[in-house]
Amino acid sequence: MNYARIIGTGSYLPEKIITNFDLEKMVDTTDEWIRSRTGIEQRHVAAEGQFTVDLAEQAARRALEAAGKTSADIDLIIVATTTADRVFPSTACLLQQRLDIHGCAAFDVQAVCTGFIYALGVADKFFRTGSSKCALIVGAETLSRILDWNDRNTCVLFGDGAGAVVLEQSNEAGILSSHLHADGAYEKLLYTPYGVSRGLSELLDGAGGIAMKGNEVFKVAVNTLGRIVDETLACNNMDKSDIDWLVPHQANIRIINATAKKLKMSLEHVVVTVNKHGNTSSASVPLALDTAVRDGRIKRGEVLMLEAFGGGFTWGSVLLRY
Ligand code: ACO
């Protein structure tokens, strides 16, 4: 059996930090409101001229170094992003150029906050069929660029960053299973109103923003993530107690707590970075993973449940032995 095994992780956060107190000066909000409703204290924001591919490159280089691999070893690049720098080339191709890699498949996956889970799920299929032996999987976002910084409902929630993993073919797991879902019927609860064929010029004029019915998104997210936990465990004939670490999408500490409760997991076994990073969409899971790998919490051989929920709606999980 060809498994995809994580052999290195990396991440990158832009230098500039915006705290809740900074936001108090920008919109009608308070640190207390943001912290009590979301758990967020601060978020990182890309500098002028710093793009999604710049963040992706830093995270990718750190993951390659941790894996003991060079660009020459990589035979597949997948970048999960909602904030591609250009319509084309894809961020994955821009990253491929930066890393001086030539010829291998490179493409973006767009599943909003579930993007990295989708990218891992797709990569897993490449490994199971023997089509890839060493892959670079990245989640990278500059969400600050599509936010309306005058809209207190959304600007307090998001941040920029990137995370990456290097996967290598292994006879031992590895990714045990991946579960990917979407339901486009939920479009109206969370969306951007613009795109190539719909008001791109307005976006370029600065009238961007994210439209969101926050409390409805919250309810669907909690219920859906509860269901995906059951689906993932059942698929692997595992029990809740078999999971060593929950590495969840970092949108809101209350959503994370609800999933941990469903898994009957103490928060000591849940990786939480939402307080420092905010919601970095597809970068949030690999950023959290790299944080807990580098500080020594996550150890080789442990079983990790990665899960996410986001616009689309999309949702998914990956169960793996680290
Ligand atoms: N500061 C102060 N007040 C605010 C702010 C703010 N930044 N934003 C909204 N409010 C006000 C609202 O206007 C509302 O006022 P009203 O009662 O006078 O109308 C009040 O706070 C309560 O608003 P709710 O939306 O009911 O507050 P809720 O407790 O649901 O928290 C939140 C809002 C944090 C958005 C929550 O619903 C949430 O996190 N939802 C999930 C959304 C999400 O994470 N989206 C990201 C993408 S999807 C994903 O990643 C899971």
Side-chain angles (χ1 to χ4, degrees):
M1 179 82 170
N2 295 324
Y3 287 106
R5 194 166 155 266
I6 294 178
I7 56 161
T9 65
S11 61
Y12 178 78
L13 290 158
E15 261 175 52
K16 186 178 173 189
I17 290 174
I18 296 185
T19 66
N20 292 349
F21 297 105
D22 295 326
L23 285 171
E24 284 183 0
K25 296 177 199 132
M26 296 159 67
V27 288
D28 181 14
T29 191
T30 61
D31 170 61
E32 201 282 328
W33 191 96
I34 301 170
R35 262 190 304 112
S36 61
R37 303 283 175 130
T38 70
I40 300 169
E41 297 160 20
Q42 62 170 54
R43 68 289 292 144
H44 292 248
V45 171
E48 210 182 319
Q50 189 177 36
F51 301 114
T52 298
V53 69
D54 298 314
L55 276 47
E57 182 185 353
Q58 295 300 328
R61 289 193 186 279
R62 290 174 185 181
L64 283 167
E65 193 186 355
K69 296 285 177 187
T70 68
S71 296
D73 297 310
I74 297 301
D75 63 17
L76 170 69
I77 301 172
I78 309 180
V79 175
T81 187
T82 319
T83 46
D85 292 324
R86 309 205 210 144
V87 173
F88 69 86
S90 68
T91 313
C93 284
L94 296 176
L95 176 64
Q96 187 186 36
Q97 183 191 122
R98 292 280 181 93
L99 297 175
D100 199 20
I101 300 173
H102 305 272
C104 75
F107 57 92
D108 287 1
V109 166
Q110 213 286 44
V112 200
C113 300
T114 319
F116 185 76
I117 300 291
Y118 264 63
L120 273 187
V122 171
D124 185 36
K125 273 58 174 180
F126 272 76
F127 279 82
R128 289 194 186 236
T129 56
S131 308
S132 174
K133 292 189 166 41
C134 191
L136 178 62
I137 314 299
V138 183
E141 301 281 8
T142 47
L143 276 162
S144 62
R145 299 252 155 72
I146 62 166
L147 290 177
D148 175 354
W149 286 96
N150 296 312
D151 176 15
R152 69 174 184 175
N153 291 299
T154 52
C155 77
V156 303
L157 301 176
F158 298 96
D160 299 338
V165 300
V166 175
L167 297 174
E168 189 173 55
Q169 189 189 61
S170 167
N171 293 329
E172 287 170 34
I175 294 178
L176 295 163
S177 70
S178 56
H179 306 262
L180 309 180
H181 297 281
D183 189 344
Y186 286 104
E187 176 204 348
K188 294 292 180 217
L189 295 189
L190 182 60
Y191 63 97
T192 55
Y194 44 79
V196 173
S197 51
R198 214 170 158 186
L200 188 59
S201 56
E202 281 172 40
L203 173 65
L204 295 174
D205 288 342
I210 293 174
M212 182 180 77
K213 291 190 179 134
N215 46 10
E216 292 183 48
V217 175
F218 187 97
K219 281 181 230 153
V220 183
V222 168
N223 290 333
T224 308
L225 289 171
R227 282 204 309 276
I228 196 112
V229 162
D230 288 338
E231 177 185 330
T232 311
L233 290 172
C235 170
N236 291 281
N237 287 320
M238 279 191 182
D239 192 63
K240 293 173 174 130
S241 59
D242 294 319
I243 311 294
D244 294 302
W245 289 97
L246 175 64
V247 187
H249 170 48
Q250 311 283 322
N252 182 311
I253 191 66
R254 293 186 290 145
I255 297 177
I256 294 172
N257 286 344
T259 312
K261 198 171 160 197
K262 169 93 190 167
L263 273 168
K264 294 197 168 72
M265 282 184 93
S266 113
L267 279 183
E268 279 159 30
H269 287 267
V270 181
V271 183
V272 175
T273 53
V274 68
N275 53 331
K276 299 295 178 200
H277 302 171
N279 181 346
T280 57
S281 193
S282 70
S284 104
V285 169
L287 263 165
L289 177 65
D290 184 51
T291 302
V293 165
R294 282 179 191 257
D295 68 22
R297 274 179 288 171
I298 292 179
K299 297 185 183 58
R300 282 281 163 214
E302 290 183 321
V303 175
L304 318 186
M305 167 95 70
L306 280 45
E307 47 85 341
F309 179 91
F313 286 151
T314 55
W315 63 98
S317 65
V318 168
L319 192 79
L320 63 91
R321 191 173 289 282
Y322 179 68

